[in-house]
Amino acid sequence: MVLILFYLMLLCMFGFICTMHVFAASLGTESENSLTQEAGTEEGTDAEEAAAEEITQEDTDNSAENTDIEEQIADMENFTAMDVVNDMKIGWNLGNTLDATKSSADIEDDTSVFETAWGNPVVTQELIGAVLDAGFNVVRIPVTWTGHFGDAPDYTITESWLDRVQEVVDYAYDKGAYVIINMHHEEWNEPYYDNEETACEIMAALWSQIAERFADYDEHLIFEAQNEPRKKGTDVEWTGGDQEGWDVVNATNQAFVDTIRAAGGCNPYRMLMIPDYAANSSVALQYLTVPDDDRIIVSVHAYEPYNFALNTEGTDVWNNDTAAIDTLMSTLKEFFLDNGIPVIIGEFGAVNKDNETERAEWAAYYLHAAEEIGVPCIWWDNGAVIGNGERFGLISRYMYRCVFPDLLEAMMDAVG
């Protein structure tokens, strides 16, 4: 009997020890789980806080950016095109560079292949700095988009080309200058009735992408619809056009204006330039339809008098031949300035015939006459200083200085 009780006591003690082991193991597991859970909670909290801080910073950045754009828009609402034009002094064209074409190049080629196709070097900040230091406060950047966009219906512009255009724009824009970009040397916009619908479609598609890229740029960036839209190779190419040409140019200009005004950011308030047929400075002006918009500027090109200023076989003597210039200014005043519509002469100049003194006298008269009616002028510089042909080079693309200092001095003195 005693032996039986002894065995029962041993069994109870063994059961108690096992139970205690299980209980201890359970406590250990719960403790471990608790520690793990606490550690996980701390890690989760840190991650959540970091994410929240990142979101907060992103929201702050976006808010600041939106505030900047809103402030720019508020400022732009107070400007008319006439205000901006009156703030312009004199301009310079970056010709034969981003507007150069190269039919053998592929759309994905390095942008410098196009930029240097007509013999000028790649544009640098130093070049634009030299232009601004010389006294110019407007830089017109002609841009050819043909060869840099895809097929219908999107006509997507190559990202690398947009990037390069923006980079060159910033060279001048970041220095506080006015910058004009356009569509130059295009073939798709020839003004025929049977091409009108397609031309308007491409115009809208390309400018909507450009407007999006530059949406947050203020009034110092100006869009110019097109360069010299005309019927190439015809009898009316340079003589002022015909009814068909006038109508289609007006239609493509309107497609441009509608596109920019419907775009976001600062674009509803952006200053816009539109040309008449071939940017003609006489006959076609009376057929230009100017939209009812106080942020529209008329663009004309005028190399007057022709035999001195543009005709390479013409005279190299100025001889105070003022008649053509006087007629030009009175025409612009009558058609536009007297009606509250600002004008920019987007291209002017006199080709180098080894006659700097004559050109200086001519430039002084031309610019003074334009200033009297409130029309800023933009010198056409194609980079050509030596050789034959249309030598309009003024600022060396290699030495970053003016190669005709007397001419430059006369120009700056005339615009005061």
Side-chain angles (χ1 to χ4, degrees):
M1 184 68 181
V2 174
L3 190 59
I4 293 173
L5 289 173
F6 176 75
Y7 281 120
L8 286 173
M9 288 176 64
L10 288 177
L11 285 173
C12 288
M13 290 178 65
F14 179 76
F16 176 76
I17 292 170
C18 290
T19 301
M20 290 302 293
H21 275 292
V22 171
F23 179 68
S26 175
L27 285 176
T29 302
E30 287 180 8
S31 177
E32 183 179 342
N33 288 339
S34 177
L35 290 171
T36 304
Q37 186 175 6
E38 287 177 10
T41 301
E42 289 177 4
E43 290 176 4
T45 301
D46 291 341
E48 289 171 4
E49 287 177 356
E53 287 177 5
E54 185 176 343
I55 292 170
T56 301
Q57 183 61 47
E58 185 177 339
D59 288 342
T60 301
D61 292 343
N62 290 336
S63 177
E65 183 177 342
N66 290 336
T67 300
D68 289 343
I69 294 176
E70 288 169 4
E71 290 176 354
Q72 285 181 187
I73 290 173
D75 289 339
M76 292 175 74
E77 285 180 312
N78 296 321
F79 289 116
T80 66
M82 192 69 79
D83 295 327
V84 168
V85 168
N86 287 339
D87 193 44
M88 294 179 174
K89 180 181 176 183
I90 185 171
W92 178 86
N93 271 280
L94 180 65
N96 288 17
T97 306
L98 295 185
D99 56 318
T101 58
K102 190 173 179 64
S103 58
S104 61
D106 186 83
I107 192 171
E108 297 296 341
D109 277 353
D110 181 350
T111 58
S112 65
V113 171
F114 294 89
E115 189 171 341
T116 60
W118 289 355
N120 283 315
V122 168
V123 183
T124 64
Q125 178 68 73
E126 289 75 15
L127 171 63
I128 301 303
V131 170
L132 302 182
D133 289 344
F136 298 94
N137 74 333
V138 184
V139 177
R140 182 172 180 255
I141 303 174
V143 182
T144 296
W145 302 90
T146 293
H148 302 284
F149 65 85
D151 297 330
D154 297 327
Y155 304 104
T156 302
I157 301 173
T158 307
E159 191 78 8
S160 60
W161 188 244
L162 263 176
D163 289 343
R164 180 55 179 157
V165 171
Q166 183 175 15
E167 184 176 28
V168 176
V169 165
D170 288 346
Y171 290 159
Y173 179 87
D174 289 346
K175 298 293 185 180
Y178 288 100
V179 183
I180 301 167
I181 58 173
N182 73 349
M183 292 187 169
H184 214 94
H185 298 310
E186 311 292 352
E187 302 290 341
W188 50 264
N189 62 336
E190 290 199 12
Y192 294 93
Y193 287 133
D194 61 2
N195 186 48
E196 180 177 332
E197 182 177 354
T198 299
C200 287
E201 178 182 302
I202 297 175
M203 181 76 72
L206 296 183
W207 274 114
S208 65
Q209 296 173 70
I210 300 167
E212 181 179 359
R213 172 59 68 99
F214 293 100
D216 61 346
Y217 285 56
D218 67 16
E219 71 276 2
H220 286 85
L221 179 63
I222 298 166
F223 295 158
E224 181 182 19
Q226 46 196 330
N227 181 52
E228 296 170 345
R230 63 193 187 277
K231 294 182 173 182
K232 296 178 181 177
T234 69
D235 293 340
V236 297
E237 181 175 7
W238 297 114
T239 58
D242 55 17
Q243 190 66 54
E244 180 181 45
W246 305 325
D247 288 347
V248 178
V249 169
N250 285 331
T252 50
N253 281 341
Q254 188 63 58
F256 158 74
V257 173
D258 291 344
T259 299
I260 304 303
R261 292 295 178 248
C266 297
N267 290 304
Y269 306 96
R270 190 168 307 288
M271 309 305 162
L272 306 178
M273 289 173 64
I274 59 170
D276 60 348
Y277 176 96
N280 179 264
S281 60
S282 55
V283 176
L285 287 177
Q286 60 190 309
Y287 301 104
L288 174 65
T289 299
V290 180
D292 184 16
D293 184 322
D294 65 2
R295 293 178 175 84
I296 298 291
I297 304 164
V298 171
S299 173
V300 299
H301 298 170
Y303 299 87
E304 300 289 359
Y306 170 75
N307 277 329
F308 175 80
L310 187 59
N311 184 4
T312 57
E313 302 299 321
T315 181
D316 61 356
V317 180
W318 161 229
N319 206 25
N320 286 319
D321 183 9
T322 66
I325 297 173
D326 295 341
T327 299
L328 167 67
M329 300 309 168
S330 63
T331 300
L332 295 178
K333 185 175 183 297
E334 177 186 356
F335 284 3
F336 304 111
L337 279 303
D338 287 348
N339 296 303
I341 301 170
V343 177
I344 292 176
I345 297 178
E347 291 182 17
F348 90 110
V351 67
N352 175 29
K353 300 172 185 175
D354 299 318
N355 58 341
E356 184 178 2
T357 300
E358 297 289 333
R359 289 201 294 161
E361 294 177 0
W362 163 86
Y365 186 89
Y366 190 113
L367 289 169
H368 181 70
E371 187 184 42
E372 281 194 330
I373 64 170
V375 174
C377 305
I378 306 178
W379 179 273
W380 176 252
D381 190 329
N382 59 5
V385 176
I386 60 175
N388 300 316
E390 297 180 355
R391 294 185 292 164
F392 284 103
L394 183 65
I395 306 294
S396 169
R397 305 290 177 92
Y398 297 92
M399 297 181 290
Y400 306 145
R401 64 176 178 83
C402 179
V403 292
F404 297 106
D406 293 343
L407 172 58
L408 178 64
E409 183 179 0
M411 292 168 66
M412 294 304 161
D413 286 347
V415 297

